Amino acid sequence: MKMIYKKPDVLKDVAFHFCPGCNHGNAHKLVAETISELGIQDNCIAVIGVGCGVFLYDYIDVDSLEAPHGRGLAVATGVKRARPERIVFTYQGDGDLAAIGMAETVHAANRGENLTVIFINNTIYGMTGGQMAPTTLLGQIATTAPYGREFQRDGYPIRMAEMLATLEGVAYSTRVAFTTPKQIIDAKKAIKKAFEMQINNMGFSFVEVLSACPTNWNMQPLEALKRVAEEMIPFFPLGTFKERSISDVL
Amino acid sequence: MKMIYKKPDVLKDVAFHFCPGCNHGNAHKLVAETISELGIQDNCIAVIGVGCGVFLYDYIDVDSLEAPHGRGLAVATGVKRARPERIVFTYQGDGDLAAIGMAETVHAANRGENLTVIFINNTIYGMTGGQMAPTTLLGQIATTAPYGREFQRDGYPIRMAEMLATLEGVAYSTRVAFTTPKQIIDAKKAIKKAFEMQINNMGFSFVEVLSACPTNWNMQPLEALKRVAEEMIPFFPLGTFKERSISDVL
Amino acid sequence: MTKNKKLVINFNRCKGCQLCVSFCNKKALALGKKINKLGYRCIVLENEDACVSCGLCAEICPDAVIEVWRI
Amino acid sequence: MTKNKKLVINFNRCKGCQLCVSFCNKKALALGKKINKLGYRCIVLENEDACVSCGLCAEICPDAVIEVWRI
Amino acid sequence: MSFKNSHFYKDFVFAGFGGQGILISGTLLCYAALKEGKEVTFFPSYGVEMRGGAANCYVVISDKKIGSPIPSTPEYAIIMSSPALDRFQNVVKKGGVLFINDDIVQKEDVVRDDVNKLFISANKISNDVVGNDKLANMVILGYVAAMADVVQVQSLIASIKDVVSEKHKRFIPLNEKAIIAGAEHYNSSKGD
Amino acid sequence: MSFKNSHFYKDFVFAGFGGQGILISGTLLCYAALKEGKEVTFFPSYGVEMRGGAANCYVVISDKKIGSPIPSTPEYAIIMSSPALDRFQNVVKKGGVLFINDDIVQKEDVVRDDVNKLFISANKISNDVVGNDKLANMVILGYVAAMADVVQVQSLIASIKDVVSEKHKRFIPLNEKAIIAGAEHYNSSKGD
Amino acid sequence: MEKLFLRGSEALALGAIDAGLKFYAGYPITPQNDIPEFLSRELPKVGGKFIQAESEVASINMLLGASACGIRVMTSSSSPGISLMQEGISYLAGSELPAVIVNVTRWGPGLGGIGASQGDYYQATKGGGHGDYFTPVFSPFSVQEMYDLIIKAFDVADRYRTPVIFLSDVMVSLMKEPVERKFASGVNLPEKLWAFGEQKGEKQKIIKSLYLKGHDLEHHNWKLYKRFQEIKEKEILVDKYMCDDADTIIVAFGMVARIARTTVDIARESGIKLGLFRPVTLVPYPEDDLEKLAEKCNKYLVAEMNTGQMLYDVKRILGKSVNIGFYGKPSSYAPTPEELLNKVKELYL
Amino acid sequence: MEKLFLRGSEALALGAIDAGLKFYAGYPITPQNDIPEFLSRELPKVGGKFIQAESEVASINMLLGASACGIRVMTSSSSPGISLMQEGISYLAGSELPAVIVNVTRWGPGLGGIGASQGDYYQATKGGGHGDYFTPVFSPFSVQEMYDLIIKAFDVADRYRTPVIFLSDVMVSLMKEPVERKFASGVNLPEKLWAFGEQKGEKQKIIKSLYLKGHDLEHHNWKLYKRFQEIKEKEILVDKYMCDDADTIIVAFGMVARIARTTVDIARESGIKLGLFRPVTLVPYPEDDLEKLAEKCNKYLVAEMNTGQMLYDVKRILGKSVNIGFYGKPSSYAPTPEELLNKVKELYL
Ligand SMILES: Cc1ncc(C[n+]2csc(CCOP(=O)(O)OP(=O)(O)O)c2C)c(N)n1
Ligand SMILES: Cc1ncc(C[n+]2csc(CCOP(=O)(O)OP(=O)(O)O)c2C)c(N)n1
Ligand code: SF4
Ligand code: SF4
Ligand code: SF4
Ligand code: SF4
Ligand code: SF4
Ligand code: SF4
Ligand SMILES: [Mg+2]
Ligand SMILES: [Mg+2]
């Protein structure tokens, strides 16, 4: 018998606390698979933002540090500079990374910190119950935008992968999703590449993961995944916005 | 006798505290001229960042509010939303707006707040005595970069006007300088346009002013102005990166 | 843990989201009746014969419920 | 306040930075000898005849020292 | 609480999954008690507790000003899911009452033996009277009201309008049915 | 301070524009005093005070542990600019001494008449002995040391090496000259 | 008047609207999200502005801007978010700008936990921000007080041109109770002549906190100090329950005081002469009231959901001649009435 | 050993390097810029990392990351910047991470002014951050102490896994005095087995401050509390000058204490029996030492450069049976020795 799919060992044998159909689970799986495959479990340090992903350490068996909400990339900067030999990644939501953490994010990216970022964009504040995020789409209803997000009042959804790609310090900036088998494969490749870039000392690598939050979107899991495909991807296009090759660095 | 140049009335009759050859003075003059010419002295509210420009209210006779360092655009957002009928501008340095204030800046820009920003980029922290700013050029020596700014450690100088131009909420983003008579005329036009955009409710208008800080650059005033022309402008090109026309808005 | 030849389904981790169902081109999967410890109805491999062990169900499953083997 | 026909120079505001000197194509300006209240040597219109009242010196002056009149 | 029965005081916890109407039944009990002139507090679960679908609330009803809205050892617990049982069976006061929806919870998982354990097939009853199991919460609530002697079933029924939103108004009669069925179920089982 | 002369205590403020060597002369005085075994504190101006070119520092020298490094009414003030005069002439202690560089400061601006006012043409003397006016600060310092009887001129001279940077080492002899000229100027004027 | 059955947070938000709130800025954080959620719905209906800021730092600074325009402003957050606001609160105080800052406390240090907590007494009462200033602090213990005191908080903020901290917790914020709506606010308040109006006045208005020249800073600080003395004289609120004949008194604030009320009831039933002293304003603290109690009663129990914070104020005020016990519970599980009674018995019976 | 003639800030930075500082992150602010300026030059020479952060918020969080890796970390700032760090300091405390936070105080509230100040006593000692925790606080009054105490601060931070506040001011920071270099640090400290090493150990290490399950949070809080009790027992530093026979004692900290030393000298010359009590650690406060003084002396003057902060700790500790006067000066102009003496005379002679 040939094994086709098995959860990686790096993933502990406990159930996620995520809601049914939440793509945080998918992101966790791919990160764990990558760590397994690259054999970096002992090198890895996870810096975890505050959001639904805050319990990552319960699921992925790597040394872990909890960062204050939004400050993941400042914390990770401290970690990486103190332990340049270790592989440091942050795992952050869109509220965390793009709202309160905007300054830390832009500056870490601009400094070209040799870090990997897994950025979960679900157009909402999941953990706190569905408030508007910087990524919330126009017209989308949130608990703090009960009449829908409006440009004049609330601004435009921010495309982080594109914005960060404009900064010199960024080595890799890409956006992935999980709405088709192909996308899942691409997502896996992207996450792996992001870690490899760090291993090769190439600078800041950033993977934006479009993610369903069925609970706060008030949708069934399938419906939610469909929304990712039909509403999010048109606004947040998948693809790579910047990719530095080794020769650029050397 | 025809008057060719006279300081505008909006500018009070007191000497600036700026160092000899500091372009903060030029920026103050142009802002004051603009307010005079547009006849908006009674409407204006200045929100002043902490930096060498912090005493703006001593020189320009408009209602003024001192913002905590870096938070000018959050403060101005509060002002403008509370008093939409008034013309609100911030006056901020590069440490203020682009380092500590990055999150507030990006988010106010992204929300398209109907505000005008005068951004003084002198590649240094002037007021505090010459520390490295996000805009400090590579190799430039600062008191906290005694061996010169280095990309690997300190990151790349940020081009704010370009970065903000990528945001949907921004109506106008431009960069000016004072190293030639033509540039002074352009700078004046840009500042005026930025205020006019606000008057026409077109959203966020941003004028980056390349500015000499002879004191902290350890240069004579003329030398410093020459540095603006020869070192800054090549890296921070003058020109307009985004300009929305009224028809885009209507 | 429900053990089949092709799929190993971790009964108490499934949340019944049915993303696997929709990813299975062979329509081999369906929501079961039994409620697990988490309070959800767990997926079952209703039509084992139809299953081609492609692994797509396992790839999409957010909760790492499914193990896939090719015989 | 030093009053000339063409230029009115606000003696106690000048900081002697000489940006005006460098902007004057006519080489009409020069640094004076007298130290003002701020401790700087103030600019003087050394060559009034050369001055064409173009206003450039006033435009560049960061300290709003100079008023320019055309006769 | 240990008011030596000198006055009326009753505290409850309602617990189950989100979507089972846990908070609504608690709120409904509050409104009914308010109608009867009682002091009332209601306290819901919140925050990360809600992930994974848990939902619960505390209700305290008294004829005096109420202290804590979160009783440490409530007298009555309404249990609508297995995790709810795990979490709450041990906090119920000695001598208190566990109301258990045994259409969802395994009887054998209930380990306390110093409390009164009442098993209600609320899903089934709901199905029987309204055609689906969505009003199991109301069935249990009717049962609780009757058993715990806390409010009149009539007060519950009169308060339904306060807890259903405008667009669900049409379901009021069904809720009424479910409550009555629950209360009757208790009354008919009393003889047991 | 009011130690009733029971011990040695002297406090100074040096004030002028940046670039005049204000902080260097203060520091030099400190090193000289340290050489003579005294307790010493030095406190410079900082921050926004420096914009517009002001520079000043306080020096306290004593044979006991020193309290505040910022004397509220220093006994000696060395004044090298008009703004410095404006700011400090009123804080000098009654009966104290104002040392004024009258090549820069207008004599008539000095209004205190309850202090000892000493005018020194330090720029001129500097010019005379070293060929430019850049060492006016050292001229005045020599004068002060001689007048205030605070340190030996020899100690000042021996300490110059501690305050000039490596690349300015070659100016040590000039500094020495200027200090001596200042001290001599005081000594020759004493007879007045 | 018919009573409403409201959550504490709803009562607070409604009270704010009834007080004339016109600007709210805030950032989501458990357990206070229903305040912004309510206001995002309701504030626009009364012509107010609601804005979800990008962070707590931005929120408090948006308040600074809006308050300078003379309208009533509020933010709400929970402990870590309040820590981030400390610079801004200090600026509001220094700039003499009124604002109401609601803290629905949770646990620290750090991320802590989201349960009920009294861990922020020190931060709220002793100034978490830099500089020499105080802000009035209100401590509600019922849903009705969430409504009543928030209105009071706005009035105090305006009268004394000061930020005010409203220190509630998750119990009082999420619980529902009947509430009576009153609409009584803003009587006899001075006009805000200092604020930016629709147009510049004759003289330029400058709102700032930087005082560099001469003794300006010292004068400014004394001015703030004197204003605070006036607040001390006029704005203290206190709640004494069965203190008159008590031989033992529990000192507690917020929900712990509410629980302790039950303790007093239970104790009285068994003949124990227990009383309850509850500061409703934590700043200014009802010092004189507490001190006066010591004339008749010399046994105290301070009860807090922390390891001892208000305790030290009580010790200072009562001095060393009375007995002061402490029951601390730095936990999301509030003490029960019985726990408190047991502690009283253990100490004094 | 030859003495160096150093600024306080240089002495501090040198002390930090001698203590083995390996990571500094900070953001410019007057009047402490010469600390980062010195370290940007010197730290790389000893293999340490210097980073200018984009803000104070980023600085403190960079410290959190670096400290988790087990190296010695420090930041420095001044009052408004310290306010911005309060969330991060609370996280350090909650995550049990050692760090040294230097506050070269300036004025508030708000932008205030950049002169010498003691306006941050409350913030430093009572926890400006949210939650129930304390951080040790050191208060130097000479350039030598800037050197000695910063070394001590690192040791205390490591021994008790806690952030430590180093509360200095612009006088002691910018003044120059002779300093003796000692290099004594790190003796008998436990190995940092909890920190991230060069490789993952056998067990996953998790550094966090979130405690949601059951009573974990309460246990965690009591653990921090107990650790603080141990600090109280072992780490108090106090400086008494001429207290033995004093009939009046000035209580002051930092530079005011230094000035008051001169006051004592002057007073003694004219036969007035004045003494000086100076807490060197403000947290833990030398309570027992102060209390003991009351056995012999019943006249006190608390002197601070604020409107009264430490005053309230002194009142609590000494109780009501002694006389406690206050001289407050919320100004950048430090009180003079004579001012203090005059106040003593006015009150007690
Ligand atoms: C300083 C601070 N502010 C706010 C919060 C509350 N908070 C926790 S998670 C979160 C945002 C969650 O949204 P996101 O980052 O998008 O993550 P998601 O849960 O959606 O994955 C917020 C606002 C906090 N913990 N700390
Ligand atoms: C919270 C906070 N951090 C730091 C400072 C200190 N500070 C005052 S101005 C300034 C930066 C000045 O640089 P910039 O903004 O570039 O203005 P410039 O003086 O160069 O015009 C800093 C860091 C402060 N006042 N508040
Ligand atoms: S709330 Fe949303 S993001 Fe959070 S676990 Fe549930 S589905 Fe996922
Ligand atoms: S320090 Fe620089 S920016 Fe500031 S006033 Fe002087 S020249 Fe201008
Ligand atoms: S392995 Fe493929 S065919 Fe089999 S159940 Fe899964 S998705 Fe369907
Ligand atoms: S995708 Fe996974 S969790 Fe969802 S139903 Fe299928 S097996 Fe269950
Ligand atoms: S007006 Fe023109 S010509 Fe005359 S001095 Fe000025 S720059 Fe020269
Ligand atoms: S530019 Fe202005 S300040 Fe400079 S020298 Fe000329 S007149 Fe004086
Ligand atoms: Mg999100
Ligand atoms: Mg600058």
Side-chain angles (χ1 to χ4, degrees), chain A residues 24 50-53 68-69 71 92-97 100 120 122 124-128 133, chain G residues 27-30 56 77 80-81 84 106 111, chain H residues 87 91:
Chain A
H24 265 297
V50 183
C52 281
H69 183 50
R71 317 306 174 188
Q92 304 180 259
D94 42 1
D96 190 85
L97 178 139
I100 188 170
I120 307 297
N122 56 10
I124 207 85
Y125 287 68
M127 186 182 217
T128 44
Chain G
Y27 185 77
I29 187 167
T30 308
E56 292 86 353
S77 185
L84 286 169
R106 53 189 258 180
L111 203 45
Chain H
E87 190 205 22
Y91 268 81

Side-chain angles (χ1 to χ4, degrees), chain C residues 9 13-21 31 43 57 60-66:
Chain C
I9 296 172
R13 278 181 80 144
C14 177
K15 292 178 183 150
C17 71
Q18 302 182 62
L19 298 188
C20 53
V21 177
L31 204 56
I43 219 71
C57 54
I60 189 60
C61 173
D63 286 280
V65 170
I66 308 175

Side-chain angles (χ1 to χ4, degrees), chain B residues 4, chain D residues 6-7 20-29 44-48 50-60 66-70:
Chain B
I4 302 296
Chain D
K6 293 172 180 163
L7 297 198
C20 54
V21 177
S22 83
F23 263 59
C24 177
N25 297 322
K26 306 297 167 192
K27 301 200 189 303
L29 295 166
V44 291
L45 180 55
E46 218 182 28
N47 191 345
E48 188 167 357
C51 172
V52 296
S53 292
C54 68
L56 290 184
C57 55
E59 293 286 352
I60 189 59
I66 309 173
E67 223 174 272
V68 183
W69 296 85
R70 190 163 294 156

Side-chain angles (χ1 to χ4, degrees), chain B residues 123-192:
Chain B
T123 71
I124 206 87
Y125 286 70
M127 188 183 217
T128 44
Q131 296 80 14
M132 186 179 65
T135 44
T136 296
L137 295 175
L138 292 183
Q140 184 182 337
I141 285 172
T143 53
T144 48
Y147 312 113
R149 182 179 190 149
E150 205 189 282
F151 174 42
Q152 292 285 337
R153 184 189 53 227
D154 309 317
Y156 215 69
I158 292 192
R159 297 182 179 98
M160 285 306 294
E162 285 87 334
M163 192 179 98
L164 293 180
T166 68
L167 296 174
E168 204 58 40
V170 173
Y172 184 50
S173 181
T174 192
R175 184 180 289 118
V176 303
F178 304 124
T179 74
T180 66
K182 162 101 173 35
Q183 284 174 8
I184 296 177
I185 294 168
D186 289 347
K188 171 69 179 296
K189 277 191 197 151
I191 290 175
K192 200 161 175 177

Side-chain angles (χ1 to χ4, degrees), chain F residues 3 27 81 85 92-93 137 171 182:
Chain F
F3 273 92
T27 310
S81 76
L85 181 72
V92 173
K93 191 172 165 182
N137 63 329
F171 296 119

Side-chain angles (χ1 to χ4, degrees), chain H residues 160-289:
Chain H
Y160 303 97
R161 297 182 57 183
T162 179
V164 170
I165 307 287
F166 196 85
L167 192 71
S168 68
D169 68 31
V170 66
M171 278 191 275
V172 72
S173 179
L174 293 195
M175 73 192 283
K176 284 189 176 183
E177 283 189 304
V179 175
E180 192 183 324
R181 205 167 164 185
K182 295 171 185 166
F183 304 96
S185 174
V187 189
N188 287 331
L189 290 175
E191 210 188 321
K192 296 183 175 179
L193 296 172
W194 48 266
F196 301 146
E198 281 168 27
Q199 281 263 319
K200 178 165 175 287
E202 210 164 298
K203 258 196 70 187
Q204 176 192 29
K205 287 177 184 161
I206 301 171
I207 299 181
K208 64 170 181 119
S209 62
L210 179 63
Y211 290 91
L212 281 183
K213 280 178 202 133
H215 290 267
D216 289 358
L217 177 80
E218 184 170 359
H219 295 150
H220 181 64
N221 279 333
W222 282 124
K223 173 177 154 193
L224 296 180
Y225 175 81
K226 272 168 206 144
R227 196 175 288 161
F228 183 66
Q229 298 312 308
E230 195 188 332
I231 298 177
K232 258 185 169 169
E233 268 161 41
K234 300 187 184 160
E235 305 294 348
I236 286 175
L237 295 175
V238 62
D239 175 17
K240 283 176 280 187
Y241 183 60
M242 306 254 177
C243 285
D244 284 348
D245 66 338
D247 54 26
T248 306
I249 291 174
I250 296 182
V251 184
F253 70 95
M255 286 304 288
V256 176
R258 177 159 175 156
I259 293 162
R261 232 176 169 282
T262 308
T263 309
V264 171
D265 289 340
I266 307 175
R268 291 274 169 175
E269 285 188 19
S270 60
I272 301 171
K273 287 192 173 167
L274 192 60
L276 169 67
F277 181 88
R278 172 171 78 103
V280 177
T281 49
L282 301 180
V283 174
Y285 201 91
E287 305 206 357
D288 295 347
D289 299 272

